[in-house]
Amino acid sequence: MSEKKRCVIVSAAEIKNYSRIKSYLSKNDFFIYCDGGLNHQEELGFKPDLIIGDFDSYKKPDTSIEIIALPCEKDDTDTFFAVKEALNRGFNDFVFIGSIGNRFDHSLCNISALMYLYQKKIPALLLDDYSEMTIADKNPSIVKDEFAYFSLMNIAGDVKGVTITNAKYPLKNAKIKASYQFGISNQVIPGKEAVITIKKGILLLVKIWK
């Protein structure tokens, strides 16, 4: 495996705020560009270490860079295949960009990749033009006041014992159901750090930038 430890997976969804996204990235990251994600290469300024795709949204490049060409008819999306390939190569930290966009089905599938990696006890972060997303669980999750809002979304069954401190809308031992999402658009008390804990289950933590 490469000496690089963190894998950045670049998908094809639109990115407008490249400067924000680039602030999270490093030349030491291993970059996998998925099909149409190659459209972001010039703006991001990072060359692919690996290219994966069925090339239905981008012409297969003529390059010396390693390419894994996939059939159009398959179970995994290009992005999800990239996740599995990166795991096989030993990567243990992930960042997803270009993963949330106009295709709601693809966006939801990419959010599920966070859960897939969480089940393997591997940290992952999903970035879009407005927010960063991670999985919150029984371990304390911290939200700094540099974010305008934060939301907690139920994406995997009933969640119990949700406690939030140092926020405009605190919670204590609450239950959040997938059928009733009331953890939206909370705010950190200025000068504080919100702390989130969960006794049972997991939630999608969405931190919205100012």
Side-chain angles (χ1 to χ4, degrees):
M1 179 188 138
S2 165
E3 291 181 0
K4 299 178 179 180
K5 298 299 183 183
R6 188 175 74 162
C7 181
V8 177
I9 296 179
V10 186
S11 301
E14 184 179 26
I15 299 174
K16 295 179 180 178
N17 194 343
Y18 283 101
S19 59
R20 176 91 74 174
I21 297 295
K22 287 170 66 175
S23 71
Y24 283 80
L25 307 179
S26 165
K27 65 180 180 180
N28 294 319
D29 294 327
F30 185 91
F31 285 85
I32 300 179
Y33 282 77
C34 297
D35 206 333
L38 286 163
N39 288 310
H40 299 305
Q41 181 182 345
E42 183 175 352
E43 289 285 354
L44 288 173
F46 293 96
K47 293 182 179 180
D49 294 290
L50 173 64
I51 298 170
I52 291 176
D54 54 23
F55 302 105
D56 62 350
S57 59
Y58 194 95
K59 183 179 179 180
K60 183 180 178 181
D62 183 10
T63 176
S64 60
I65 295 169
E66 182 184 2
I67 295 177
I68 298 178
L70 303 175
C72 290
E73 295 181 356
K74 57 189 183 302
D75 292 333
D76 291 328
T77 64
D78 295 343
T79 298
F80 222 102
F81 184 95
V83 171
K84 292 180 177 179
E85 179 64 24
L87 287 173
N88 287 338
R89 296 183 183 216
F91 288 96
N92 56 13
D93 194 3
F94 284 77
V95 175
F96 296 86
I97 60 178
S99 299
I100 301 294
N102 294 332
R103 283 287 301 270
F104 175 76
D105 51 348
H106 279 268
S107 296
L108 191 58
C109 183
N110 292 334
I111 289 172
S112 75
L114 294 181
M115 297 169 57
Y116 180 81
L117 290 168
Y118 172 81
Q119 290 173 346
K120 297 180 179 295
K121 299 181 179 180
I122 293 176
L125 182 68
L126 193 156
L127 306 173
D128 65 10
D129 282 325
Y130 308 99
S131 61
E132 64 174 58
M133 307 178 201
T134 56
I135 298 296
D137 61 8
K138 62 182 180 180
N139 297 307
S141 295
I142 306 297
V143 184
K144 298 181 179 180
D145 66 355
E146 64 191 51
F147 292 95
Y149 302 97
F150 69 93
S151 297
L152 290 168
M153 305 292 299
N154 185 315
I155 55 173
D158 290 353
V159 180
K160 299 178 180 179
V162 181
T163 296
I164 304 173
T165 58
N166 295 332
K168 183 176 181 179
Y169 306 110
L171 282 178
K172 185 175 181 180
N173 202 32
K175 183 176 182 179
I176 298 180
K177 296 183 177 182
S179 59
Y180 181 39
Q181 306 274 4
F182 63 88
I184 310 299
S185 295
N186 207 336
Q187 291 177 280
V188 181
I189 294 174
K192 301 282 189 178
E193 293 183 344
V195 180
I196 302 158
T197 56
I198 301 166
K199 289 183 179 178
K200 182 179 179 181
I202 61 172
L203 294 169
L204 178 68
L205 172 58
V206 184
K207 303 176 186 178
I208 297 90
W209 292 316
K210 291 182 179 178

